[in-house]
Amino acid sequence: MDGINPALSPADLRLERRIFAASHGRDLTPEEQEALERIRPPRTYPVRLAVQAYDGPIAMLPVAQLYARDVPDLSPPEGKDLLQVLWCPFDHPIMPRTLLFWRSAAAVTDILDTPPEPPAVQFDGYLPDPCVLEPEQITEYPDHLELSEELREQLKQLSVPQTAEEGMDPDTYYDCVLSNAPGWKVGGWPAWDATDPSSQPCSECGTDMELLMTVATFEEGDDAGNSWSPHPHPGAGPYPGHRGFNATGVQIGSGYRQHLFVCPAEPEHPHIELMT
């Protein structure tokens, strides 16, 4: 707990989301208002929140389930064709801690009708909404910070006609339209919005790690127009505080991405998490 934000149960957060979705474009009913006030009682500031301790292990939440048949570039370990990503819905220290499970889909037979859930989550954005995966394969290029100054200048000059036509800044056109796709993705290139590029050696064998997956707050960028919009575009999410298209309900930091890097030599070596 952070001592400021109340930790809410997954059930209350899902009810809150259903209420906001159902009341979009109209006033709240008295019953809806009563439910929202129960979930988040009115507070005056400053406020102190008691930190509640929970006995025993806390269940982790599912974040993604990916099959190699749907994601050709997944590159699972030999004999595995399924990746399950789970996380703890609390900061460790600035984002959820993830676990990766590489499995054989044929060996997964004992499936729970109702998976266990944690008693509470630290932030609303740490409770993913279930979504159906519709894979879309795209081509993207490295962040401009990973390119030489000479190549950056060449790309800038090549972009001048497009930027003039689209009313964009030549200095940012490459990053906004051509390089890193926003949104959740498997593979590709990391975005370096909050930090400079850095190599990520495997802690077990020293191999340079590669981007496995990106967990993003938004599915489209602020400045890229419709260049990276999902197709078909479902529209804006109904939840308060969410800008842009957010189908998963996830929020990393104040709108960042959580990159998961794995060792290409041995995907089951410990992975690395970075917020950018």
Side-chain angles (χ1 to χ4, degrees):
M1 314 297 181
D2 60 8
I4 298 175
N5 299 281
L8 302 178
S9 71
D12 277 346
L13 281 177
R14 292 190 182 104
L15 174 58
E16 183 181 60
R17 290 177 180 180
R18 288 197 300 271
I19 291 174
F20 282 125
S23 63
H24 188 59
R26 64 165 173 82
D27 292 335
L28 294 168
T29 67
E31 294 77 11
E32 290 169 338
Q33 187 66 49
E34 181 181 354
L36 293 178
E37 290 181 357
R38 176 191 63 78
I39 294 171
R40 299 180 190 270
R43 296 184 291 167
T44 57
Y45 294 87
V47 63
R48 290 184 178 178
L49 299 176
V51 176
Q52 182 176 356
Y54 298 101
D55 295 329
I58 293 180
M60 302 187 80
L61 288 171
V63 176
Q65 179 166 274
L66 305 173
Y67 291 89
R69 64 174 183 265
D70 297 324
V71 187
D73 296 330
L74 190 59
S75 301
E78 185 176 356
K80 308 293 177 65
D81 61 354
L82 171 64
L83 171 63
Q84 294 174 323
V85 183
L86 286 76
W87 73 18
C88 174
F90 293 86
D91 276 344
H92 292 271
I94 59 172
M95 55 186 167
R97 176 176 296 166
T98 55
L99 289 180
L100 307 181
F101 294 93
W102 298 95
R103 312 180 70 177
S104 168
V108 181
T109 57
D110 188 13
I111 301 175
L112 298 176
D113 292 333
T114 306
E117 290 191 330
V121 301
Q122 183 175 359
F123 298 111
D124 305 4
Y126 290 176
L127 177 67
D129 272 339
C131 296
V132 176
L133 179 66
E134 296 183 7
E136 178 185 8
Q137 194 163 22
I138 61 172
T139 300
E140 63 171 19
Y141 299 95
D143 189 289
H144 79 280
L145 293 174
E146 297 195 57
L147 306 178
S148 67
E149 291 188 14
E150 180 182 3
L151 182 53
R152 276 185 250 173
E153 185 59 30
Q154 290 177 359
L155 289 169
K156 177 180 175 181
Q157 296 304 319
L158 290 172
S159 300
V160 168
Q162 288 89 345
T163 57
E165 182 177 339
E166 300 177 31
M168 298 185 67
D169 185 346
D171 289 324
T172 59
Y173 183 81
Y174 172 78
D175 275 342
C176 290
V177 178
L178 302 175
S179 62
N180 307 112
W184 289 55
K185 62 185 181 183
V186 176
W189 297 92
W192 300 106
D193 296 337
T195 182
D196 289 336
S198 59
S199 61
Q200 307 297 328
C202 174
S203 61
E204 294 286 332
C205 65
T207 303
D208 283 341
M209 304 188 85
E210 296 179 353
L211 182 63
L212 168 71
M213 178 179 175
T214 299
V215 177
T217 300
F218 305 110
E219 288 298 320
E220 53 192 23
D222 292 331
D223 305 316
N226 294 321
S227 298
W228 293 112
S229 294
H231 179 76
H233 193 298
Y239 312 129
H242 289 173
R243 57 180 175 81
F245 170 42
N246 181 320
T248 63
V250 165
Q251 180 170 338
I252 302 298
S254 58
Y256 292 98
R257 306 172 182 89
Q258 184 169 350
H259 292 312
L260 308 183
F261 292 84
V262 294
C263 175
E266 180 47 72
E268 292 182 302
H269 282 173
H271 68 288
I272 293 176
E273 303 164 334
L274 284 179
M275 181 190 293
T276 68

